[in-house]
Amino acid sequence: MLNVLDEFTHECLAIRVARKLKAIDVIDVLSDLFILRGIPAHIRSDNGPEFVAKAVQDWIAVVGAKTAYIERGSPWENGYIESFNARLRDELLNGEIFYTLREAQIVIESWRRHYNTIRPHASIGYKPPAPEVFVPAFASVAGCATPTGSAGHAGATANLKLTFHLDHSAGADQPTCSGSIRTSYSARSRSFACCLQTETSPPAFIR
């Protein structure tokens, strides 16, 4: 799994699930997020081959971001993603057996959405990092609710009821492998943090 986490809001931006993870997959996930969230100042990662590949480093430099690799054998330097990986393992992976890759993708994506929109996080005041927002009504924009040529309806208003689902699923239906990226997309700290962690314990793909 390739996990992408915003270290400022603690929102999990993407979990890509596949049997193998290559440098092109890292570029694919990050490029989608760059388009949705903007280009960060830094991308922090461990020294996994997918992250230190020349293609990844060159691409990051071209788009205007910088890499910040942690020291080898020092996962505590990427503490946010390590904590997230532990939560993912304890709350989901240890209790599931995935019989197909597609099943794993669907179940893990569902957990990611729950993690972002419902699950309380102690580190941010027991609130979800990206809760669903319900806006009951909007006042009409001036002139929008007034029929053309009908001054007598100048006081008419239009009530709108909209529900916004803050969902940034980057490639949820695409294959991914075992690894993790932590990102920081905040207005205060425009940086990414990435880390690759291989899952060697159950659950395993049956076929």
Side-chain angles (χ1 to χ4, degrees), residues 53-195:
K54 188 176 186 301
V56 173
Q57 296 188 46
D58 291 346
W59 180 81
I60 291 174
V62 167
V63 298
K66 296 180 180 179
T67 58
Y69 296 110
I70 66 174
E71 291 293 329
R72 294 182 181 275
S74 303
W76 52 86
E77 294 184 6
N78 220 356
Y80 284 109
I81 195 64
E82 296 301 332
S83 176
F84 173 80
N85 289 338
R87 300 287 79 73
L88 174 60
R89 188 180 301 108
D90 292 343
E91 297 177 14
L92 178 67
L93 299 181
N94 286 346
E96 295 286 346
I97 295 179
F98 302 121
Y99 291 94
T100 65
L101 180 61
R102 185 57 181 164
E103 177 188 1
Q105 292 170 341
I106 293 173
V107 172
I108 292 172
E109 172 61 16
S110 177
W111 180 88
R112 185 190 73 85
R113 296 185 180 186
H114 178 272
Y115 178 89
N116 287 337
T117 61
I118 298 175
R119 181 188 183 278
H121 293 234
S123 58
I124 54 176
Y126 293 95
K127 298 177 182 179
E132 293 182 349
V133 179
F134 176 73
V135 181
F138 285 116
S140 64
V141 179
C144 289
T146 303
T148 303
S150 177
H153 292 80
T157 59
N159 292 323
L160 305 177
K161 183 174 290 186
L162 304 175
T163 302
F164 295 93
H165 298 281
L166 305 181
D167 175 27
H168 308 293
S169 55
D173 59 345
Q174 302 179 17
T176 56
C177 170
S178 182
S180 305
I181 290 182
R182 187 178 84 237
T183 71
S184 176
Y185 276 114
S186 69
R188 301 180 186 177
S189 174
R190 301 290 294 182
S191 63
F192 282 4
C194 310
C195 141

Side-chain angles (χ1 to χ4, degrees), residues 29-76:
V29 171
L30 292 181
S31 62
D32 288 343
L33 293 176
F34 285 7
I35 294 172
L36 291 173
R37 303 297 187 102
I39 299 173
H42 296 86
I43 300 177
R44 179 161 50 255
S45 72
D46 63 16
N47 296 277
E50 294 82 4
F51 300 126
V52 300
K54 188 176 186 301
V56 173
Q57 296 188 46
D58 291 346
W59 180 81
I60 291 174
V62 167
V63 298
K66 296 180 180 179
T67 58
Y69 296 110
I70 66 174
E71 291 293 329
R72 294 182 181 275
S74 303
W76 52 86

